[in-house]
Amino acid sequence: MHQAKLTLDPAFKVAPVNRRTFGTFIEHLGRCVYTGIYEPGHPTADDDGFRRDVLDLTRELGISTVRYPGGNFVSGYRWEDGVGPVAQRPRRLDLAWHSTETNEVGVDEFVRWCRKAGVEPMMAVNLGTRGIEAALDLLEYCNHPSGTTLADQRAANGAKEPYGIKMWCLGNEMDGPWQIGHKTASEYGRLAAETARAMRMVDPSLELVACGSSGSGIATFGAWEATVLEETYDVVDFISCHAYYEERDGDLGSFLASSTNMEYFISSVVATADHVGAKLKSRKKIDISFDEWNIWYISRGQDNDPRTDWPVAPRLLEDHYHLADAVAFGGLLITLLRNSDRVTAASLAQLVNVIAPIMTEPGGRAWRQTTFHPFAQASRLAAGDVLRVEPVSPAYETAQYGEVALVHAVATHSEEGGTTLFAVNRSTDEPLSLEIDARALGGARIVEATTLSDTDVYARNTADDPDRIAPRPNENVEHDPMRVLLPPVSWNVIRLA
């Protein structure tokens, strides 16, 4: 059995918990929108065609923001197609995902869904095939009170009050050759800066996100951020990061340590941003919006055969997650929290069906994937301040990342809610006895411990067995000194009060 220990101390404050860390993402991709959040003929559908079962799970998941409408989709999107009478909306070819977009759901429906879910909308503008004018028109349509053609058009479409959307993404993954309207860093930086300046003429209080690299492995990583920020530093608030991880060639050990790469990604972007700030002699700090992150088995979805059909809402990227995926996912979430001083927004990609924590069947059931649980627990229990936690832990050797600690952890603390420790055990074969030193918390003791684990690390949840992998009480707790036994390949939540 492995042995490890850590110290909890409210003096080890990183930053307040950012509620926007628990954001997610809805894109017009596959079945995320159609038969995902929206299915008028479903038995649970409300008067607007939204699935109530999905809304219930969304509230349980505890998301704070939703990024929309993409993603790669936004780089070819004409937002005007998705407003006005549904029967009159055009059907368009979606080049990003080789599908047909019906535009039954657009800006107004999305914001209406956000209101029902109790979440903050986060809008992306098309800087691929369009630019400044279309971004200004969308902003005016969404946020201007009245008295202009576009604001009055919104009111005529049923939304008299402005939407007040504060957070806007200036395009999506413009560094990627796969992106419609792909640009060099200089080309994108100039367009993003001019778009940002124009949008701020409408509303100086907007929070704007410039596109960073779509992965730390892309050839232009680092240089892209430096060039883009030299153009946009004074007019944006965030630079984005996107990262996806998967188990490759049976290398479970490296996969469980995926957060090592995310940590490198974050620290590199922070260093680059601060370098640009110093070069520009600016006191301003650029934060990170990690607005796409998840486990995604990209290698399984490679298809070199050209498609000739243009289906509506095809089944795309519907990964079915197992326990090991949930543990690696939990490690990524811990890393986002550990960097809350600079990662002040994040969006799990995506919400429903497409690499998602929630799965549905058309006309049928909705259920929680394994990755649902770490996100829901962290969103519900993380409160107050994020505390830096540095476990003294055995290490193991990985093929991708070298020597990595078996325990990865973070804690949050508030005077009202107590202290919550989130930890993963990356060991693939042995449990780990974790000793917790909480002397700095006075008389705090463990009041609850749960674990997400299974004898089969590749066990999944299904519509017929939706709770195979779910948090269970961890009865292996000792109080003097405080110890908790963490099963191999497990996500663990320990509450102290």
Side-chain angles (χ1 to χ4, degrees), residues 285-356:
K285 293 292 186 183
I286 297 292
D287 285 338
I288 290 174
S289 174
F290 218 118
D291 50 37
E292 288 189 33
W293 69 275
N294 204 348
I295 306 303
W296 177 10
Y297 284 85
I298 300 175
S299 61
R300 295 177 185 170
Q302 299 300 322
D303 185 357
N304 295 321
D305 295 329
R307 285 170 48 189
T308 58
D309 60 334
W310 295 86
V312 173
R315 291 180 182 265
L316 297 175
L317 315 185
E318 297 195 8
D319 284 352
H320 293 265
Y321 294 121
H322 47 59
L323 171 65
D325 293 326
V327 175
F329 177 102
L332 300 176
L333 190 52
I334 286 170
T335 296
L336 293 175
L337 284 167
R338 283 171 61 90
N339 289 276
S340 291
D341 56 332
R342 295 302 289 270
V343 180
T344 56
S347 301
L348 168 65
Q350 294 184 10
L351 179 64
V352 191
N353 290 328
V354 177
I355 54 171

Side-chain angles (χ1 to χ4, degrees), residues 94-414:
D94 168 24
L95 305 186
W97 302 109
H98 209 279
S99 308
T100 296
E101 175 53 52
T102 66
N103 286 303
E104 295 168 76
V105 171
V107 173
D108 297 315
E109 288 81 12
F110 167 66
V111 175
R112 199 175 306 139
W113 181 88
C114 285
R115 301 289 187 258
K116 294 184 179 192
V119 301
E120 175 190 358
M122 175 180 173
M123 193 67 70
V125 300
N126 178 357
L127 295 189
T129 60
R130 307 186 84 178
I132 301 171
E133 184 177 48
L136 288 175
D137 285 351
L138 178 57
L139 175 59
E140 184 178 319
Y141 181 88
C142 289
N143 284 9
H144 194 67
S146 63
T148 68
T149 297
L150 290 170
D152 292 346
Q153 181 184 356
R154 182 198 67 241
N157 289 337
K160 181 179 179 180
E161 298 300 319
Y163 294 143
I165 299 172
K166 283 296 181 185
M167 200 168 183
W168 294 76
C169 300
L170 302 171
N172 174 78
E173 292 187 357
M174 300 311 298
D175 63 323
W178 58 85
Q179 200 72 208
I180 303 169
H182 162 62
K183 294 169 174 58
T184 66
S186 297
E187 291 168 340
Y188 168 73
R190 286 290 296 153
L191 177 58
E194 294 307 320
T195 304
R197 290 188 184 97
M199 293 177 74
R200 290 197 185 281
M201 290 178 185
V202 178
D203 183 355
S205 71
L206 296 178
E207 299 175 66
L208 303 180
V209 185
C211 287
S213 294
S214 51
S216 61
I218 198 163
T220 54
F221 173 59
W224 173 277
E225 280 79 4
T227 300
V228 167
L229 285 174
E230 284 185 7
E231 293 284 356
T232 63
Y233 201 92
D234 291 335
V235 290
V236 302
D237 305 283
F238 301 87
I239 186 85
S240 71
C241 294
H242 292 180
Y244 297 99
Y245 302 93
E246 63 179 303
E247 181 182 347
R248 294 180 178 273
D249 302 320
D251 185 2
L252 180 58
S254 292
F255 176 53
L256 294 174
S258 294
S259 58
T260 305
N261 175 265
M262 179 183 268
E263 188 78 47
Y264 159 77
F265 198 167
I266 292 169
S267 63
S268 299
V269 172
V270 167
T272 303
D274 288 350
H275 166 75
V276 174
K279 184 177 178 181
L280 297 175
K281 298 177 175 60
S282 174
R283 294 183 178 181
K284 177 181 178 180
K285 293 292 186 183
I286 297 292
D287 285 338
I288 290 174
S289 174
F290 218 118
D291 50 37
E292 288 189 33
W293 69 275
N294 204 348
I295 306 303
W296 177 10
Y297 284 85
I298 300 175
S299 61
R300 295 177 185 170
Q302 299 300 322
D303 185 357
N304 295 321
D305 295 329
R307 285 170 48 189
T308 58
D309 60 334
W310 295 86
V312 173
R315 291 180 182 265
L316 297 175
L317 315 185
E318 297 195 8
D319 284 352
H320 293 265
Y321 294 121
H322 47 59
L323 171 65
D325 293 326
V327 175
F329 177 102
L332 300 176
L333 190 52
I334 286 170
T335 296
L336 293 175
L337 284 167
R338 283 171 61 90
N339 289 276
S340 291
D341 56 332
R342 295 302 289 270
V343 180
T344 56
S347 301
L348 168 65
Q350 294 184 10
L351 179 64
V352 191
N353 290 328
V354 177
I355 54 171
I358 300 170
M359 292 297 294
T360 72
E361 281 301 323
R365 292 169 287 187
W367 69 96
R368 304 166 192 83
Q369 291 235 63
T370 60
T371 55
F372 183 100
H373 298 293
F375 192 102
Q377 286 187 297
S379 177
R380 186 176 72 255
L381 297 173
D385 295 324
V386 177
L387 302 184
R388 188 82 180 180
V389 174
E390 297 297 345
V392 178
S393 166
Y396 70 109
E397 191 67 27
T398 69
Q400 289 189 51
Y401 308 115
E403 194 173 79
V404 176
L406 287 176
V407 177
H408 187 44
V410 72
T412 66
H413 171 77
S414 70

Side-chain angles (χ1 to χ4, degrees), residues 452-486:
L452 197 71
S453 60
D454 196 273
T455 54
D456 179 2
V457 298
Y458 297 111
R460 294 174 168 84
N461 293 342
T462 65
D464 293 326
D465 191 6
D467 298 317
R468 165 69 188 269
I469 304 298
R472 314 286 188 207
N474 188 337
E475 307 295 347
N476 296 302
V477 175
E478 300 176 14
H479 288 281
D480 191 20
M482 282 193 287
R483 289 193 179 93
V484 183
L485 190 66
L486 311 184

